[in-house]
Amino acid sequence: MSEEDVRGDGGLEARLEEQETFEPPESFVEQANVTDESIYEEFEEEWPQCWEQAADLLEWDEPYDTVLEDEEAPFYEWFTGGNLNASYNCLDRHVEDGAKNRAAIKWEGELGETRTYTYGDLLNEVEAFAATLRDLGVEEDDVVTLYMPMIPELPIAMLACARIGAPHSAVFAGFSADALATRMNSADSEYLVTCDGYYRRGDALDHLSKTNEGLEDVEHEVSDVVVVDRLGDDLEHSLADNQHDYDELVDEHAGASVEPVSRDAEDMLFLMYTSGTTGQPKGVKHTTGGYLSYAAWTSQAVLDIKPEDTYWCSADIGWITGHSYIVYGPLALGTTTVMYEGTPDYPDKDRLWEIVENHRVDIFYTAPTAIRAFMKWGAEYPDQHDLSSLRLLGTVGEPINPRAWKWYYQNIGNEECPVVDTWWQTETGGMMVTTLPGVNTMKPGSAGPPLPGVDARIVDAAGEEVEAGNAGYLTVQKPWPGMLRTLYNNDERFISEYWQEYSDEEADEWVYFPEDGAKIDDDGYITVLGRVDDVINVSGHRLGTMEIESAIVGVSGVAEAAVVGGEHDIKGEAVYTYVIPEDGYEGGDDLREQIVEAVEDAIGPIARPEEVVFTPELPKTRSGKIMRRLLEDIASGNELGNTSTLRNPEVVEDIAEQVQGD
Ligand code: PRX
């Protein structure tokens, strides 16, 4: 496989430039949680027992008897026989240890209002909401859907669910009504927590109408919906019979004491839907013991979190990054986690740096897309603020180009903070490939070596490891505690999506395939190049091209559609759609508008097409397969290779002209 065969531009600049390296600053190393490189050898020699170090970060009601159970591989189990509660581990034990008055969550609304929950406050509110959920009839193992923006009630609801053993399924608030319904249907979820609205660039968005629209398409009966009053309007008038005002219920249950339910290590903590290659999102199942241990361990080893820190991850809790690294990891370690409701450029482009300065943030974790936007806005915005409290910077979600990495290192970190570029996925639960900030040399553009205990290897199409300097497919050849256990109600798809490609079933040798392309250098550093399946990564958000295509072909007047990712300066990738109108329809602005609307309705504004190109035909091979590679090259403005193997080479020029001629 050549590098051209995999998508993504993350490695491109690195290949063109001489690889620069940076050492972790001495001042950082002196205080780092992990400083000894012997940890790599130790974890290799002691594997899988090494993962007890992760489990030891938690308090168990019942100790586990086996670290890794691999009898039914790839349905691995971790810390079997152990019992624990995630909410107890994130709250009660810190209060018991004397941290009752330490800030757990510092929240800032877009309009500037702030709320601080100490560990004591948060425990009280979580117990009150856990009592509420119980009274509504939520039982252990009932899936509760959370369709909420970045307001404190979201982590409160997550922890309340965890407390009573009800798995939560968070749906990103920016997703559409349809997306909510699909996920509630798939999870058979009868309970929903949502809100009336939230703020975006100063405007109040109506979230309740969107919720209600989604509820109309839920196929089973929804028992109860709890609505948080974020906008301060008169909520009562807008609520249906089975809808309740969050504040009223929590007030009624104030002071309630709810014993944390002791859960088996392998019991489900939450479901998180993510996009795959088919039109149907996948319900990734994460467990209580393995996931929480892994989120806590990686938060400590990679993000260097300490209880006295103020830590800020600017992701949304509706995605896995927010689950693992705003809520579960940081709170399990007893630190202060910052949440921001709004956009980074409201009211001005220095908003994030103002938050860093005001809260004296020690650790900041964000996405390369955000960094590229900061870069475009200019260094004058961070320069207006005192960012000297920062000790460590991180990135996640997509490849980071070396230029953006260096800008971040210099302009935000003042060359005094290590930058960790962390590769992982919804399915992995936590970070997998990254430098340890107090140990490793940094190479901009390259995520780094696999974490200790993580057996990530780059292989060719036959599954053989590639030589250093080459590109191939990223694989993980040993299980890890944070791994997904299955896809909800779909063990078969779990096997076919992740394990079929490189495993040797007969030999009982299981290899996890994350569907990313990557290359490896002489030092074992991995540069992730991007997805090799039909999934695209827009601003660090994962979208299935099939999901977008099926929305488009639902528009009357559309005969056929192909969706691909094209390179984008800020977003990394953007959505490009190529559409064949039906006979009798014209590909004009009207149809274009309907297509854009259909995509927003089916998925949400994040999937909004950058371009809709009308064409009488799509470039196809002689066997009738759409040449996606070519469509991607057109979208990215790349030079087009040989088109002579196509059945209809003449359409290529016409399409390219429409896109590149702009
Ligand atoms: O392609 C990889 C990319 O994001 C995908 C996972 O997306 P999701 O499950 O939504 O989780 C995002 C947050 C963990 C991966 O398959 N990706 C993630 N981190 C990186 C990355 N690509 C390159 N470098 C990274 N650091």
Side-chain angles (χ1 to χ4, degrees):
M1 168 171 154
S2 76
E3 281 171 37
E4 282 68 41
D5 288 335
V6 290
R7 292 205 194 118
D9 71 333
L12 191 65
E13 279 180 65
R15 294 197 297 275
L16 300 176
E17 285 175 29
E18 183 76 14
Q19 177 75 65
E20 269 184 272
T21 60
F22 296 82
E23 292 306 320
E26 203 46 50
S27 56
F28 182 87
V29 176
E30 275 165 13
Q31 59 76 60
N33 285 341
V34 181
T35 51
D36 198 337
E37 66 178 342
S38 64
I39 188 171
Y40 288 98
E41 219 179 285
E42 184 202 333
F43 269 52
E44 197 173 328
E45 278 167 14
E46 308 275 312
W47 196 92
Q49 268 63 35
C50 56
W51 289 117
E52 292 190 12
Q53 288 194 24
D56 283 350
L57 293 172
L58 305 180
E59 215 167 295
W60 296 73
D61 304 335
E62 190 67 51
Y64 52 87
D65 17 70
T66 313
V67 173
L68 170 64
E69 180 58 74
D70 59 4
E71 276 291 292
E72 305 287 326
F75 297 94
Y76 295 99
E77 296 185 344
W78 286 87
F79 310 124
T80 51
N83 285 340
L84 76 167
N85 181 279
S87 141
Y88 175 83
N89 271 281
C90 291
L91 300 170
D92 309 56
R93 64 170 175 149
H94 304 312
V95 172
E96 287 163 14
D97 285 350
K100 183 177 72 180
N101 294 323
R102 185 189 305 147
I105 295 178
K106 283 189 168 184
W107 174 82
E108 190 161 320
E110 201 188 60
L111 303 182
E113 66 274 54
T114 56
R115 271 196 252 167
T116 298
Y117 292 82
T118 64
Y119 274 92
D121 299 334
L122 195 58
L123 176 57
N124 288 344
E125 182 119 353
V126 165
E127 287 196 87
F129 195 53
T132 300
L133 290 174
R134 271 222 179 122
D135 269 2
L136 291 174
V138 179
E139 291 181 3
E140 217 176 318
D141 296 319
D142 285 346
V143 176
V144 178
T145 302
L146 310 177
Y147 188 38
M148 296 160 91
M150 287 291 283
I151 54 176
E153 288 81 359
L154 174 52
I156 288 165
M158 289 163 74
L159 293 167
C161 287
R163 195 164 193 87
I164 61 172
H168 51 78
S169 166
V171 178
F172 173 56
F175 274 146
S176 67
D178 277 8
L180 170 68
T182 310
R183 286 157 180 76
M184 285 187 78
N185 284 331
S186 164
D188 278 325
S189 175
E190 294 175 11
Y191 298 91
L192 173 67
V193 188
T194 183
C195 70
D196 58 347
Y198 55 103
Y199 293 95
R200 268 294 169 278
R201 295 209 163 81
D203 294 330
L205 298 192
D206 177 2
H207 192 61
L208 190 55
S209 301
K210 192 165 74 165
T211 303
N212 287 334
E213 212 183 296
L215 284 170
E216 279 173 23
D217 290 329
V218 176
E219 287 151 6
H220 52 270
E221 197 189 329
V222 174
S223 319
D224 294 278
V225 179
V226 181
V227 185
V228 176
D229 180 358
R230 163 71 187 115
L231 301 180
D233 301 338
D234 198 357
L235 200 56
E236 244 167 65
H237 300 297
S238 0
L239 298 183
D241 286 349
N242 69 341
Q243 300 187 331
H244 321 277
D245 181 343
Y246 172 95
D247 291 322
E248 266 177 31
L249 294 181
V250 165
D251 282 351
E252 274 169 32
H253 293 86
S257 166
V258 177
E259 269 300 291
V261 171
S262 203
R263 299 278 281 169
D264 189 284
E266 281 296 308
D267 279 343
M268 173 158 56
L269 178 60
F270 66 86
L271 267 181
M272 171 112 260
Y273 281 88
T274 188
S275 296
T277 38
T278 72
Q280 198 60 22
K282 308 184 275 197
V284 170
K285 174 182 161 183
H286 281 296
T287 56
T288 313
Y291 169 82
L292 194 62
S293 303
Y294 200 69
W297 186 82
T298 46
S299 293
Q300 189 185 57
V302 182
L303 294 172
D304 200 50
I305 290 177
K306 303 175 175 67
E308 57 275 21
D309 283 329
T310 300
Y311 158 82
W312 184 20
C313 166
S314 73
D316 192 293
I317 296 177
W319 304 90
I320 192 70
T321 305
H323 276 49
S324 302
Y325 299 115
I326 298 178
V327 182
Y328 285 114
L331 294 180
L333 296 182
T335 198
T336 299
T337 182
V338 175
M339 275 179 79
Y340 172 53
E341 178 188 37
T343 38
D345 54 351
Y346 186 84
D348 207 349
K349 298 188 175 72
D350 66 336
R351 183 64 188 268
L352 300 194
W353 318 126
E354 187 182 76
I355 295 175
V356 169
E357 179 172 6
N358 288 348
H359 295 279
R360 312 293 302 150
V361 170
D362 299 275
I363 302 159
F364 181 62
Y365 190 36
T366 195
T369 290
I371 298 168
R372 287 190 290 264
F374 305 149
M375 223 167 116
K376 192 172 162 213
W377 297 339
E380 63 264 34
Y381 294 101
D383 285 352
Q384 291 164 21
H385 296 277
D386 176 6
L387 306 182
S388 61
S389 58
L390 288 170
R391 175 174 96 240
L392 174 70
L393 299 173
T395 78
V396 57
E398 48 182 322
I400 182 161
N401 43 319
R403 209 156 68 83
W405 190 103
K406 274 190 270 175
W407 188 92
Y408 192 38
Y409 180 71
Q410 286 162 352
N411 293 282
I412 307 303
N414 196 26
E415 305 191 16
E416 285 165 355
C417 307
V419 175
V420 285
D421 169 1
T422 61
W423 175 86
W424 58 292
Q425 308 180 296
T426 305
E427 292 87 342
T428 69
M431 301 157 175
M432 300 290 282
V433 177
T434 171
T435 49
L436 287 169
V439 175
N440 305 112
T441 303
M442 295 167 272
K443 301 185 184 185
S446 177
L451 278 175
V454 171
D455 188 3
R457 299 187 202 181
I458 314 301
V459 301
D460 62 19
E464 297 297 324
E465 253 183 283
V466 302
E467 306 244 330
N470 289 312
Y473 300 99
L474 181 54
T475 59
V476 187
Q477 312 230 351
K478 279 195 192 121
W480 65 100
M483 66 195 302
L484 80 163
R485 296 305 192 263
T486 190
L487 294 175
Y488 192 58
N489 279 341
N490 206 341
D491 289 349
E492 219 170 281
R493 190 168 175 200
F494 169 68
I495 302 276
S496 65
E497 291 264 345
Y498 305 108
W499 302 95
Q500 215 140 46
E501 203 82 24
Y502 294 108
S503 301
D504 182 346
E505 225 167 300
E506 302 219 319
D508 201 21
E509 285 168 8
W510 296 93
V511 175
Y512 173 81
F513 181 41
E515 312 230 37
D516 271 324
K519 64 173 193 169
I520 185 154
D521 73 8
D522 291 333
D523 300 320
Y525 275 48
I526 291 172
T527 296
V528 179
L529 299 166
R531 304 283 308 191
V532 293
D533 57 1
D534 292 330
V535 166
I536 57 180
N537 192 327
V538 177
S539 304
H541 297 140
R542 186 165 152 184
L543 302 172
T545 51
M546 280 282 289
E547 277 175 78
I548 307 177
E549 279 168 16
S550 62
I552 296 176
V553 295
V555 174
S556 66
V558 171
E560 203 178 334
V563 170
V564 299
E567 283 170 26
H568 188 279
D569 285 352
I570 306 279
K571 299 178 188 173
E573 278 187 295
V575 176
Y576 279 76
T577 71
Y578 301 88
V579 174
I580 306 180
E582 260 174 22
D583 281 349
Y585 281 86
E586 213 169 302
D589 286 345
D590 272 359
L591 192 55
R592 183 173 285 116
E593 237 166 70
Q594 286 175 45
I595 287 169
V596 170
E597 210 172 288
V599 172
E600 293 200 347
D601 283 351
I603 298 155
I606 51 164
R608 190 186 166 87
E610 187 77 10
E611 289 239 21
V612 179
V613 177
F614 293 108
T615 172
E617 278 181 69
L618 289 165
K620 288 188 177 161
T621 59
R622 286 184 206 284
S623 58
K625 227 176 129 218
I626 297 174
M627 281 285 281
R628 291 175 169 277
R629 191 65 241 161
L630 200 61
L631 294 173
E632 284 161 20
D633 281 339
I634 293 173
S636 302
N638 296 340
E639 212 161 288
L640 305 180
N642 185 1
T643 56
S644 62
T645 53
L646 290 180
R647 191 163 67 183
N648 50 358
E650 66 287 350
V651 302
V652 174
E653 222 166 279
D654 178 51
I655 298 177
E657 180 123 325
Q658 285 192 60
V659 179
Q660 298 176 355
D662 288 351

